[in-house]
Every structure is written in C-alpha cells, then in structure tokens.
Amino acid sequence: MDKKKLHVALFFGGNSSEHDVSKRSAHNIYDAMDKDKYDVSVFMFTKGGYLLGNKDSMRIFNGEDEDKVVAEIVPKVDFSNPLANIQNISEVKNIDVFYPVIHGNMGEDGTIQGLFRLLDKPWIGSGIASSAVSFDKDLTKQLLTLNGVRNTKYLVVTPENQEEYSYEKCSAELGKTLFVKPARQGSSVGIFKVSNKAEFDRAVRDGFHYDFKLLIEESIEHPREVECSVLGNRESKASKLGAIRIPETDTFYDYNNKFVDASGVAFELPVDLPEKLAAEITQMSLDAFRVLGNRGLARMDFLVDQNDVPYFGEANTLPGFTNISLYPQLWQVSGINYSDLIDQLIQLAIAEFNDNAKLHYDFVELGEEKLSK
Ligand SMILES: Nc1ncnc2c1ncn2[C@@H]1O[C@H](COP(=O)(O)OP(=O)(O)O)[C@@H](O)[C@H]1O
Ligand SMILES: [Mg+2]
C-alpha cells in the first residue's frame, strides 16, 4: 500500500431490501474513485449479517455470483464464536476513512457508525445519534416540529395503545385517508394508504411486523414529490431541486414502482418550481440538516400539496449513490460531478473527525480524581 494514498474502506450490502442497490452504489463509487489518490478496500455485509473480507467482497464486485460466494464461506464460519459475524473486521486496521454505502438497517441507523466510532477513524456521513434519529420517522418529526420545520400531522400507534387509537379516533383527528408506516423502515416497505376501518386494521397488523412503533399520518393528496441534496458539516449547502413523478394510476411511491417496475416513474432533474416554493424547500432542507445534526450528506424528501405548501417527508442519511441515483444526479446538475462529490465527502469526513478531536473529554481526569479519594 502506498503511504501517501488515503486508504478508504467501502462497506456495502446489508440486510435491508436495498442490498442490491447498495451493491450497485458501492460499485459505482469504487469505479469513480481516483486510484492515484486512494487505495480502496471493500467489505460486504451478507443478507444474513456476516461481514465478508476484502478478498471475497472483491470477488462479488468482480461479477462472481453472490449466493455462490456466500454459500462457500458462511457454512464454514464458527458461529459458536460470538464475534463470528464481524471477525473480518481485523482486516480494517490500516484504514484511514470508512465509507458506509449501506442503506437502511445497520448502515443508516447508527449501528455501523458506532463501530467506526470505536475504531476511532473518520467515516462518511452522519454520527451515531444523528443517524439513529434521522432513521426514526417519529423522532425526526418531533425534532423538526420543535424547530419549526413543517411536516405532516401524525399519531403514534404501538401495541400498548393500539386499542385506543382506532381508525375512528385517528381519522377524526387526521382525516379520512391516512398513511400507516413503520417508524424505522425504508423503501416504502410496510407502508399503507388506508381510508376505512378494515384497511386501517390490516395495515396496523401488518405494520407491526416491521416495527412496534407505527406512524399514522394525514395524507397529502396527489402530492408532488420533491428532493433536495445537502452536502456539508455544521455548515452545509443545498443542491438544485428534483422531482419524482409516479404514474397517475399508482396510489403512491411504493415498493413496486420504486424497485420492481420503475418504468413508469419519471424524474425531473432539476425541476422547475415557483420561486417561492423552491426557496422554501431549499431552506427547509438546510434547516432539517442542521436540526438533525446531519454530517456529510443527506437527501431530503418533500411532499408538496395542491396549494404549493411543502411538507418535510424524511431525511435519508445514506441515500442511493449509483450514478443514476438522485443524490449524485442533483449535484451533477448543480455543478459537482460524481467523483468530485466523493472527494468532497471524504474531505468532509476527515474535517469532522479533526473537529471532534479538538473537544475536551474531562471524564478521564474526573475518574482519576475519584479513584484517588
Ligand atoms: N403523508 C403522506 N401523504 C401522501 N403520501 C405519502 C405520505 N407519506 C408517505 N407517502 C408516500 O409514500 C412514499 C414513501 O413514504 P416515506 O415516508 O418516504 O417512506 P420510505 O422511507 O419508505 O421512503 C412517499 O414517497 C409517498 O409517495
Ligand atoms: Mg421515502
């Protein structure tokens, strides 16, 4: 390994429904990284949660069948060892920067960020608490509401209060048509649009397969779905805005038109919106990034109603990153190309790490003082 080069580790895969998207994102990032500047290692989490080493992850990168590689390795792993799932972590000792390219569970929710924190090296994207809060739609909305960022009205249903929060009660407060969604999911998995008691009850029952906390949200009818990419640390900037148009016959942007058959979905990059609306969405994106304590990158999603009122939808702290994904494409149309964007994210990770290193942690001294008493 060349000492002058930064050694970057890409993590990809994972056990969310976006495993394959993550694989494509990581592959695109790998290809775009300037190998004169970076040594790059790759580590894949299998769908079962096992961390493959660099060599085997590379085999998958180079086109070998994933199931075949995994079947070859995983049965040989000694799962009586509690660290079996992450034993290959010892391979990361010479890494300078960690780059999680894992969407959803474990990657976007603060879990892997905790591992990077323990390893005491810079990583791309938000910190532990910021990732966890941004991944939880209820906590996100609470923080945004406290800080004046408009979002849809909602109630939280749990197995404990389920009897009290009937369709009658929720619809009396939020309207006849409601969205039922797990607080900590993604990819539209477990989301239902309902407008009567039977649909509501079924959605709540199914929703509890994904999370014990469900959001019941007022519905924005025929919304425009608008996105904004944010880049930075404590100071950040927003890209031009983009919009997603789903076919008129579809009810909402669900798992099917997102991942199964996206042929009817159109993207407008950038989208031409009334000046006031665009300015408001841009400001809300920057406000949300600050309020949620995001770092590096986040794609902010909005729903705009028929009267051009924008509602904050969700923050995606590790958005899709293939070269046709919205996050990088919005920067592309805003003047930052794909590989420059990766360079900037790496620099932001290092800057954030150095910034935090300046903080004083007094507890060591306090601890010693207590011990000497
Ligand atoms: N309150 C709402 N009103 C109208 N449509 C909604 C609402 N909430 C969600 N949707 C639809 O469901 C999609 C997925 O919801 P979202 O909250 O973004 O969850 P996910 O994290 O799964 O993407 C949105 O893109 C939108 O099409
Ligand atoms: Mg979404």
Side-chain angles (χ1 to χ4, degrees):
M1 295 271 167
D2 186 334
K3 269 270 173 278
K4 285 179 298 258
K5 289 192 199 176
L6 270 182
H7 189 180
V8 179
L10 298 181
F11 283 71
F12 69 100
N15 65 354
S16 82
S17 53
E18 285 176 278
H19 181 94
D20 291 334
V21 178
S22 159
K23 208 157 117 179
R24 281 203 298 280
S25 296
H27 212 157
N28 275 269
I29 291 170
Y30 181 86
D31 287 345
M33 286 175 76
D34 182 348
K35 306 301 182 300
D36 289 333
K37 279 199 260 179
Y38 306 111
D39 286 319
V40 189
S41 299
V42 299
F43 297 91
M44 188 188 92
F45 277 101
T46 68
K47 290 172 189 164
Y50 177 78
L51 181 66
L52 292 182
N54 178 45
K55 216 167 96 244
D56 291 315
S57 304
M58 262 305 177
R59 287 169 60 193
I60 294 173
F61 248 40
N62 292 334
E64 271 191 64
D65 182 65
E66 176 174 333
D67 292 341
K68 195 179 128 262
V69 175
V70 171
E72 199 181 290
I73 291 156
V74 175
K76 291 188 200 141
V77 176
D78 173 14
F79 284 103
S80 64
N81 163 16
L83 292 177
N85 262 341
I86 55 161
Q87 60 200 4
N88 285 319
I89 204 74
S90 56
E91 284 187 31
V92 305
K93 57 176 177 291
N94 298 317
I95 304 294
D96 298 309
V97 180
F98 291 110
Y99 196 157
V101 195
I102 302 176
H103 318 302
N105 299 338
M106 313 285 248
E108 206 167 345
D109 63 1
T111 308
I112 203 167
Q113 288 74 13
L115 179 61
F116 300 150
R117 178 78 181 86
L118 278 170
L119 295 170
D120 201 22
K121 288 283 164 64
W123 70 86
I124 283 169
S126 292
I128 301 166
S130 172
S131 299
V133 167
S134 305
F135 194 64
D136 183 318
K137 292 183 167 78
D138 169 39
L139 296 181
T140 295
K141 285 163 85 66
Q142 292 203 40
L143 264 186
L144 294 185
T145 303
L146 264 176
N147 289 279
V149 181
R150 187 188 306 105
N151 59 91
T152 51
K153 287 205 220 87
Y154 75 112
L155 294 164
V156 173
V157 174
T158 64
E160 292 70 39
N161 71 10
Q162 185 183 1
E163 281 191 15
E164 187 191 338
Y165 286 86
S166 61
Y167 174 71
E168 290 73 13
K169 183 182 164 88
C170 294
S171 59
E173 214 160 303
L174 303 170
K176 189 174 174 305
T177 306
L178 302 164
F179 271 82
V180 179
K181 59 174 92 159
R184 292 156 291 202
Q185 254 295 326
S187 312
S188 295
V189 170
I191 300 188
F192 302 91
K193 184 178 185 180
V194 302
S195 47
N196 61 48
K197 180 174 159 42
E199 288 173 356
F200 178 88
D201 288 346
R202 193 176 333 125
V204 168
R205 203 174 54 236
D206 286 359
F208 282 144
H209 289 132
Y210 300 100
D211 201 339
F212 293 123
K213 181 159 76 163
L214 303 179
L215 276 72
I216 313 294
E217 270 181 51
E218 68 175 316
S219 172
I220 306 296
E221 290 299 292
H222 308 292
R224 251 196 290 190
E225 305 213 20
V226 177
E227 278 70 38
C228 179
S229 295
V230 182
L231 178 68
N233 284 339
R234 277 181 295 154
E235 282 180 25
S236 62
K237 59 186 175 187
S239 71
K240 290 181 180 171
L241 306 178
I244 299 171
R245 244 180 241 280
I246 60 161
E248 281 194 14
T249 45
D250 289 4
T251 324
F252 66 98
Y253 197 28
D254 60 14
Y255 188 82
N256 195 54
N257 54 28
K258 259 184 200 176
F259 298 109
V260 182
D261 178 12
S263 59
V265 176
F267 297 94
E268 290 168 86
L269 308 168
V271 61
D272 198 15
L273 294 176
E275 212 173 302
K276 182 171 159 288
L277 174 61
E280 195 175 0
I281 292 176
T282 302
Q283 190 57 49
M284 287 167 82
S285 300
L286 293 169
D287 288 347
F289 195 87
R290 181 175 42 78
V291 165
L292 297 170
N294 292 154
R295 294 291 183 268
L297 72 167
R299 194 193 74 224
M300 304 304 188
D301 294 350
F302 294 82
L303 297 170
V304 180
D305 76 8
Q306 298 286 297
N307 300 317
D308 277 356
V309 177
Y311 292 82
F312 188 91
E314 57 160 348
N316 298 280
T317 54
L318 287 171
F321 219 103
T322 70
N323 42 19
I324 58 158
S325 296
L326 275 170
Y327 185 87
Q329 286 227 79
L330 283 174
W331 281 118
Q332 179 78 44
V333 299
S334 307
I336 304 178
N337 76 36
Y338 191 83
S339 62
D340 288 345
L341 183 59
I342 295 167
D343 288 342
Q344 289 200 29
L345 288 171
I346 291 170
Q347 288 313 314
L348 285 167
I350 294 170
E352 174 66 11
F353 183 80
N354 291 337
D355 211 17
N356 284 330
K358 290 185 210 133
L359 294 172
H360 290 283
Y361 292 105
D362 289 340
F363 58 85
V364 176
E365 270 174 52
L366 277 177
E368 281 170 1
E369 208 174 273
K370 268 191 204 143
L371 280 178
S372 64
K373 268 179 195 162

